[in-house]
Amino acid sequence: MRVPLSWLREYVELPATETGRDVQARLVSAGLEVETVEQLGAGLKGPLVVGQVRTIEELEGFKKPIRFCTVDVGRANGTGELQEIVCGARNFAVGDKVVVVLPGAVLPGGFEIAARTTYGKVSHGMICSSDELGMGADTSHGIIVLPPEYEVGTDAIELLELVDEVLDIAVTPDRGYCMSMRGIAREVATAYGLPLRDPALLDVPAPNSHGYPAKVSDPIGCDRLTLRTVTGLQPEARSPIWLQRRLQKAGMRPISLAVDVTNYVMLELGQPLHAYDRSRLEGPVGVRRAEQGEKLTTLDDVERVLDVQDLVITDDRGPIGLAGVMGGAHTEIADSVTDPESGTTSGTTAVVIEAAHFDPLSIARTARRHRLPSEASRRFERAVDPLAGPAAAQRTVDLLVLLAGGSAEAGVTEIIAPSAPHTIAMPADHCDRVAGVAYGREAVVRRLQQIGCDVYGQDELIVTVPSWRSDLREPNDLAEEVIRLEGYENLPSTLPTPPSGRGLTERQRLHRRVGRALAGAGYVEALSYPFLGPGVLDQLGIPAGDARRRTVALVNPLSDEEPWLRTTLLPGLLGALRRNDGRGSHDLALFETGLVFRPTGEERVPERLPVDHRPTDEQLATLDAALPHQPRHAAVVLTGAREQAGWWGGGRPADWADAVEAARTVAREAGVELGVRAGQFEPWHPGRCAALFATVDGTETLVGHAGELHPRAVKALGVPERTCAAEVDLDLIERAGEGPLRAPRISTFPVATQDVALVVAEGVPAADVERALRDGAGELLESLRLFDVYEGEQLGAGRKSLAYALRFRAADRTLTVEEATAARDAAVALAAERTGAVLRGA
């Protein structure tokens, strides 16, 4: 909600020295979120005046039409002579009043005006458009043409209200009353302790039987409807400058007088209205639910197929408007058209003003169903004051009579469904107990009366909630109002004392250790949305029937392109990598830990749980059983340089081994050593993919994959070539661990190192040889590392040499050479038995 400070001062007599920043501080203290304070006209400097075009000379010989004009600006130029100006716009004529900026002036953005030669003429100033003055959108699409009544030489800065401050307020869904100047003014008046000039306090005639006929078939969807009629409108009447400027400052575009007036009243009172051209209505105005298959062309010229849950405004022909969202094109206000021969202007001369109160939920669903958010729907779905309709209609009638020369018909149509004001019983000390502060009864009553409540009682207060505060439903809502008006900053700050023996669970500690370890290894955490679409699974090359293709579909997704919950972390991480690479960061290493969602197909639809009492344990268990399996995964993606080049030496690019090492880093935080074997799994390159195994509950279990991505996936996803990735199941790795991680015991005895080079068949995995060496070496083996792989003619075709460094150490003694050699020989023997390995050179 954009709130011009000059407009706000009409309802609250603020001190003249108060700035937008001062008002912002008061409103923020009262609980409203003021995002920015925009300084309109910042840097603007005159002279900027009203001028009248006296002559226009068309300049020829240029690529675009150029006009050389003389403009009367009175004594504003110091001489009284006509001002010569070159202009390319064509929406004005001789005799028109325009806005002229003279040499020496400065326009918004620091654009200085000076006399300059252009198109062979000297231009002494400029004829201005609304964009050049920072006024916002309008319908002229060119030079500002003013009404003829303004005198030449008048200061245009003051006339056009170019200097102002505008507060941009983010209105939360529970504060719909703040979607109006009236609501914001009430908050400002309360914050400053000043009286409010309520613009809704108008003399409204009583309903009678002479008004335009109407019928409401759905009193739940529309509990109040007011119709007023204004005739004798002058089609040539234009919105005055003050009205246009207030709409522009509030972020709306002036259209025509009748439409501008309804928008103005909506901004002022918060009540959306609609004006129908009475000559285009046939029969009474009705409100009902749409029928299946009905169609309506809305004001945006889109034909929409209506749903049976849509609330519509009708006449005898059918729907003429989508209630609370947008009007229909068949009954819109006609544009004024002037006959060039006779000079007469034709257009709408009689309108029917509709002010209604609609069900917020119905309007919200209709706006989302048709993807048609509007200023009206944004207000109705936040709840509009149900009693504001008659005052808003009267305000609209008064403005149309004043500005368009119309006449208000005596008939007033009003249809009201029976209702009663909402009352809340609350102990007088309830606010004190909620806040932990002794406010006292007098302060509570005073604050509640400031927001419009009627309060009665002593020890127990009976509070009648004002019609515009539908969010106040129970005592805690009233307590919140008292607390915020008294000042959140005045609440005492008391830190709770945590009970002993509590803290992070072992699982939470593991997750944090994993994040710290990956960050320490040079990875940056990236948090992505847990959604994906079918397109990204195709890009990854996930085959049909893969478990990752079995997804959970969302009923109301944020994006139609991503309607599913993710089954893998890679799409989000690769999307982040692609965006950062496209923005110039080419050396990237990202990681994420988070849940994936793997339905089993056995989930059942749970029953709807009660809201008036706590569900039973059986109901909660049924709800849990309906959820898909949600394991926590950890994933990394990396591309570019893994080690940077510099004076210390050459760098190296990231490769599949870095992805494998990242997975091992994750597993080591759980005290698990991963087994690595060659694998084939989409989206990894079939020759550069490692399958990762861990022993879970005594069984060797696949826990993830790592390696280089398949070139087809790389191309489809638009990520750099040779991008690598790893993804592991963190829950399985946790189960493979042996409980809390224990610090290693450091032996005081020396290490004995033995190297072996084993020749095996080319197809034997190094992991199998390593496993055999570990099992054969026994307890004395401290560590094992593959440090060389050799293939050459000396070994023969289909053979390779694997060189390992074995470190032996005992916890209680220094090993002898014989003991270390015996352990090494046992390891080699078992490797020979299992894999056919032969000592190189033997």
Side-chain angles (χ1 to χ4, degrees):
M1 176 69 187
R2 290 173 56 86
V3 180
L5 187 60
S6 59
W7 192 358
L8 185 64
R9 290 181 183 275
E10 284 198 3
Y11 313 119
V12 183
E13 194 171 343
L14 293 171
T17 57
E18 287 295 287
T19 67
R21 295 291 183 189
D22 298 329
V23 177
Q24 177 190 29
R26 294 293 187 106
L27 290 179
V28 169
S29 178
L32 293 181
E33 183 180 349
V34 184
E35 294 186 330
T36 59
V37 178
E38 184 179 348
Q39 306 291 331
L40 299 184
L44 179 63
K45 175 185 174 184
L48 186 72
V49 298
V50 176
Q52 185 174 30
V53 180
R54 291 299 182 87
T55 64
I56 297 178
E57 176 188 350
E58 300 288 345
L59 301 183
E60 299 179 354
F62 301 103
K63 293 182 179 180
K64 62 179 182 179
I66 299 296
R67 311 168 93 184
F68 181 65
C69 311
T70 58
V71 185
D72 181 9
V73 295
R75 302 291 300 179
N77 58 6
T79 64
E81 297 179 357
L82 297 181
Q83 202 78 3
E84 296 179 342
I85 298 175
V86 176
C87 183
R90 308 190 64 80
N91 67 311
F92 63 95
V94 173
D96 283 346
K97 298 286 182 68
V98 294
V99 178
V100 180
V101 58
L102 301 177
V106 180
L107 294 183
F111 182 52
E112 298 181 358
I113 303 299
R116 65 188 183 97
T117 301
T118 178
Y119 298 102
K121 300 284 187 178
V122 178
S123 181
H124 298 273
M126 186 170 68
I127 302 175
C128 298
S129 69
S130 60
D131 289 337
E132 291 161 342
L133 298 179
M135 294 173 58
D138 63 10
T139 57
S140 66
H141 305 294
I143 295 301
I144 301 171
V145 179
L146 300 172
E149 61 265 22
Y150 295 107
E151 294 184 4
V152 169
T154 301
D155 183 5
I157 295 179
E158 182 178 352
L159 174 67
L160 300 177
E161 302 176 18
L162 297 179
V163 178
D164 201 352
E165 294 181 276
V166 178
L167 287 75
D168 194 351
I169 302 175
V171 179
T172 53
D174 62 329
R175 297 199 181 277
Y177 68 96
C178 286
M179 295 287 287
S180 68
M181 293 298 302
R182 180 195 184 201
I184 298 298
R186 188 181 302 278
E187 290 292 330
V188 171
T190 302
Y192 279 89
L194 297 172
L196 169 70
R197 290 192 288 269
D198 192 343
L201 296 180
L202 302 173
D203 291 330
V204 179
N208 53 56
S209 59
H210 308 300
Y212 196 90
K215 179 182 178 181
V216 176
S217 302
D218 189 342
I220 296 178
C222 175
D223 56 0
R224 288 177 177 267
L225 175 66
T226 300
L227 298 180
R228 298 290 300 273
T229 304
V230 181
T231 59
L233 300 177
Q234 300 171 3
E236 68 277 7
R238 296 173 54 187
S239 299
I241 290 177
W242 65 265
L243 178 57
Q244 294 187 45
R245 290 297 294 135
R246 287 188 174 180
L247 292 177
Q248 289 173 330
K249 292 176 185 178
M252 301 190 74
R253 178 172 59 90
I255 299 174
S256 64
L257 178 57
V259 175
D260 292 349
V261 166
T262 57
N263 286 337
Y264 177 83
V265 174
M266 177 185 69
L267 293 172
E268 183 179 51
L269 301 181
Q271 169 67 55
L273 304 106
H274 193 75
Y276 299 94
D277 188 330
R278 195 176 72 167
S279 65
R280 298 185 177 187
L281 290 174
E282 294 183 10
V285 171
V287 183
R288 62 169 172 81
R289 298 287 175 177
E291 298 176 0
Q292 189 66 41
E294 277 190 312
K295 297 181 179 180
L296 170 67
T297 301
T298 46
L299 289 173
D300 56 356
D301 293 325
V302 176
E303 184 179 71
R304 304 180 186 277
V305 179
L306 304 179
D307 187 90
V308 293
Q309 294 299 317
D310 292 335
L311 201 62
V312 293
I313 310 297
T314 66
D315 65 2
D316 287 345
R317 294 169 298 180
I320 60 173
L322 206 53
V325 180
M326 185 174 287
H330 300 304
T331 56
E332 71 174 318
I333 303 299
D335 294 332
S336 58
V337 178
T338 302
D339 189 331
E341 296 181 359
S342 63
T344 58
T345 302
S346 61
T348 298
T349 59
V351 296
V352 175
I353 307 299
E354 167 233 303
H357 183 260
F358 301 114
D359 174 50
L361 185 59
S362 175
I363 301 305
R365 288 175 174 172
T366 296
R368 284 157 178 75
R369 186 180 299 118
H370 294 280
R371 306 183 191 280
L372 191 61
S374 65
E375 291 292 338
S377 68
R378 276 190 281 269
R379 285 166 172 79
F380 276 122
E381 65 189 28
R382 285 172 169 80
V384 168
D385 182 358
L387 302 185
Q394 182 63 44
R395 178 70 166 143
T396 305
V397 168
D398 293 342
L399 288 173
L400 289 176
V401 170
L402 175 66
L403 302 177
S407 300
E409 289 194 352
V412 178
T413 301
E414 194 168 314
I415 299 176
I416 301 175
S419 62
H422 181 61
T423 59
I424 302 173
M426 179 183 73
D429 63 346
H430 180 72
C431 301
D432 299 0
R433 290 187 283 109
V434 169
V437 177
Y439 293 125
R441 179 187 176 281
E442 290 74 15
V444 170
V445 172
R446 175 171 54 85
R447 290 302 188 183
L448 293 178
Q449 289 174 340
Q450 284 179 334
I451 64 173
C453 295
D454 290 330
V455 186
Y456 303 96
Q458 293 297 321
D459 294 337
E460 183 177 57
L461 303 180
I462 305 300
V463 182
T464 302
V465 175
S467 59
W468 58 85
R469 293 301 304 269
S470 59
D471 58 303
L472 304 180
R473 310 304 301 171
E474 58 182 38
N476 285 338
D477 296 329
L478 300 179
E480 180 185 358
E481 292 299 300
V482 172
I483 294 169
R484 77 175 181 89
L485 293 178
E486 287 290 323
Y488 290 120
E489 67 276 9
N490 296 324
L491 291 176
S493 177
T494 304
L495 293 177
T497 303
S500 60
R502 303 288 179 88
L504 298 177
T505 65
E506 183 55 35
R507 168 172 291 191
Q508 291 170 329
R509 292 192 183 98
L510 172 61
H511 296 165
R512 293 196 177 188
R513 289 200 306 270
V514 167
R516 286 194 294 266
L518 289 174
Y523 291 85
V524 176
E525 186 171 16
L527 301 178
S528 58
Y529 286 113
F531 311 120
L532 56 78
V536 73
L537 295 179
D538 295 336
Q539 292 171 340
L540 290 172
I542 308 298
D546 191 287
R548 291 169 292 176
R549 287 275 186 182
R550 191 182 303 124
T551 59
V552 177
L554 298 172
V555 176
N556 188 22
L558 294 180
S559 169
D560 290 339
E561 296 180 356
E562 295 181 327
W564 302 336
L565 290 175
R566 66 187 177 192
T567 55
T568 168
L569 298 181
L570 291 183
L573 274 178
L574 290 171
L577 183 138
R578 180 178 62 250
R579 284 191 297 274
N580 283 275
D581 180 71
R583 293 169 183 171
S585 298
H586 304 301
D587 303 325
L588 296 164
L590 308 177
F591 83 92
E592 181 176 10
T593 61
L595 300 180
V596 298
F597 305 86
R598 298 285 183 87
T600 62
E602 300 178 358
E603 294 84 4
R604 299 179 180 178
V605 177
E607 62 175 307
R608 188 180 296 273
L609 298 184
V611 296
D612 57 342
H613 61 274
R614 184 187 184 280
T616 64
D617 293 339
E618 290 76 13
Q619 289 174 320
L620 292 176
T622 303
L623 182 64
D624 288 338
L627 298 175
H629 182 48
Q630 301 175 49
R632 181 173 292 273
H633 281 201
V636 303
V637 294
L638 61 163
T639 189
R642 187 66 178 130
E643 294 179 3
Q644 297 291 338
W647 58 265
W648 52 84
R652 69 172 183 85
D655 60 17
W656 62 270
D658 294 303
V660 174
E661 182 59 28
R664 282 177 159 160
T665 298
V666 171
R668 279 195 291 268
E669 293 303 316
V672 175
E673 193 66 34
L674 291 180
V676 182
R677 301 179 190 171
Q680 292 190 11
F681 194 68
E682 292 77 8
W684 283 273
H685 190 297
R688 298 169 187 157
C689 173
L692 309 174
F693 293 86
T695 302
V696 180
D697 300 331
T699 303
E700 189 176 58
T701 304
L702 179 68
V703 297
H705 292 84
E708 182 181 313
L709 294 182
H710 197 290
R712 284 198 301 269
V714 166
K715 182 178 180 181
L717 292 165
V719 297
E721 295 181 357
R722 310 300 294 269
T723 294
C724 300
E727 183 171 13
V728 296
D729 189 325
L730 202 53
D731 287 352
L732 287 177
I733 290 177
E734 180 188 2
R735 288 171 53 192
E738 299 179 354
L741 190 64
R742 298 182 181 276
R745 182 177 178 181
I746 306 299
S747 174
T748 59
F749 297 96
V751 66
T753 302
Q754 298 271 359
D755 293 344
V756 296
L758 302 177
V759 179
V760 296
E762 187 178 22
V764 175
D768 290 350
V769 178
E770 180 178 330
R771 188 179 301 104
L773 290 173
R774 286 185 182 277
D775 293 345
E779 296 181 353
L780 295 179
L781 182 66
E782 182 180 80
S783 67
L784 174 68
R785 180 174 63 89
L786 175 66
F787 66 87
D788 183 57
V789 178
Y790 172 74
E791 296 179 6
E793 297 179 357
Q794 298 177 359
L795 300 178
R799 308 285 286 176
K800 64 182 178 181
S801 172
L802 305 177
Y804 291 92
L806 289 75
R807 291 167 56 90
F808 298 96
R809 192 187 327 243
D812 57 350
R813 67 187 186 282
T814 299
L815 292 177
T816 64
V817 174
E818 291 76 13
E819 288 177 310
T821 302
R824 183 203 65 182
D825 293 343
V828 171
L830 188 59
E833 179 184 340
R834 290 185 181 179
T835 65
V838 177
L839 270 175
R840 185 175 175 183

